[in-house]
Amino acid sequence: MEAAGEAELFRAAFGEGWERMRDTALGGEAADAGLRARWEATVELVRRALSAPPVLPEPFRSAADVFERYRYLVADYQVEVFLAVLLDVKNRRTQDVRVSTGILNGSLIHPREVFAPAVQERAAAVLLVHNHPSGDPSPSPEDREVTKRLRSAGGIVGIAVLDHVIIGENSFYSFREEADW
């Protein structure tokens, strides 16, 4: 809605009576006291919302945190979905980037697809997350190779790969926690 016009915004916010509310906001003469009060209340709510400190997400502290956050987002896909989770300096999520959507038993991952958005968004680190449609989170040889390649690329560009978590049906595999790091 960033590019929406004034009329569209009023229509979205106030529904059927949007034209009268716009006239009230612009100081029109026809505004009754109730409509004026409603407009002032709206302005106050927006003022408070904009001045409230931002609610920051909790930092990721373990692969279990990653699993809890992403298990319902990727576990049910019938193909592999590979995400790069961009993190700030305190390991808080700033953005999820879908790097690849693959086939039944694999996906194509290239370091540029992972690190281009990470560099653009000035991420301090990334978490790699993908599902295994089979439900078994055990890593394949390709998963091991991709992890090694992405960690190496991250070292070159100065953006650490904190972990690669594979999500299965009701469990997960963490490269960092399983000594494959």
Side-chain angles (χ1 to χ4, degrees), residues 29-61:
E29 296 175 30
D32 62 36
L35 207 52
R36 170 70 54 201
R38 185 172 169 210
W39 173 249
E40 289 172 4
T42 301
V43 170
E44 181 60 25
L45 287 173
V46 169
R47 184 178 294 120
R48 288 180 187 185
L50 292 175
S51 65
V55 177
L56 299 173
E58 287 294 315
F60 289 106
R61 291 184 170 83

Side-chain angles (χ1 to χ4, degrees), residues 60 70 84-88 91-97 114-115 117-127 159:
F60 289 106
Y70 292 95
V85 181
L86 309 185
L87 305 172
D88 68 10
N91 297 337
R92 295 179 301 221
R93 184 186 75 79
T94 60
Q95 185 176 350
D96 295 337
V97 177
V114 172
F115 291 103
V119 168
Q120 183 178 0
E121 297 299 321
R122 292 183 162 76
V126 297
L127 284 168
I159 298 175

Side-chain angles (χ1 to χ4, degrees), residues 1 4 9 13-14 17 23 39 60 86 100 106 117 124-125 151:
M1 288 203 93
L9 292 173
F14 299 106
D23 290 342
W39 173 249
F60 289 106
L86 309 185
S100 174
R151 286 188 68 210

Side-chain angles (χ1 to χ4, degrees), residues 54-126:
V55 177
L56 299 173
E58 287 294 315
F60 289 106
R61 291 184 170 83
S62 67
D65 289 349
V66 175
F67 176 67
E68 286 304 316
R69 168 76 169 93
Y70 292 95
R71 70 188 292 183
Y72 298 111
L73 295 174
V74 300
D76 292 335
Y77 281 98
Q78 299 303 307
V79 295
E80 281 196 5
V81 175
F82 195 102
L83 303 174
V85 181
L86 309 185
L87 305 172
D88 68 10
V89 295
K90 295 190 177 190
N91 297 337
R92 295 179 301 221
R93 184 186 75 79
T94 60
Q95 185 176 350
D96 295 337
V97 177
R98 185 180 291 206
V99 175
S100 174
T101 302
I103 55 176
L104 181 62
N105 61 353
S107 61
L108 301 173
I109 308 299
H110 192 278
R112 106 179 118 252
E113 271 65 27
V114 172
F115 291 103
V119 168
Q120 183 178 0
E121 297 299 321
R122 292 183 162 76
V126 297

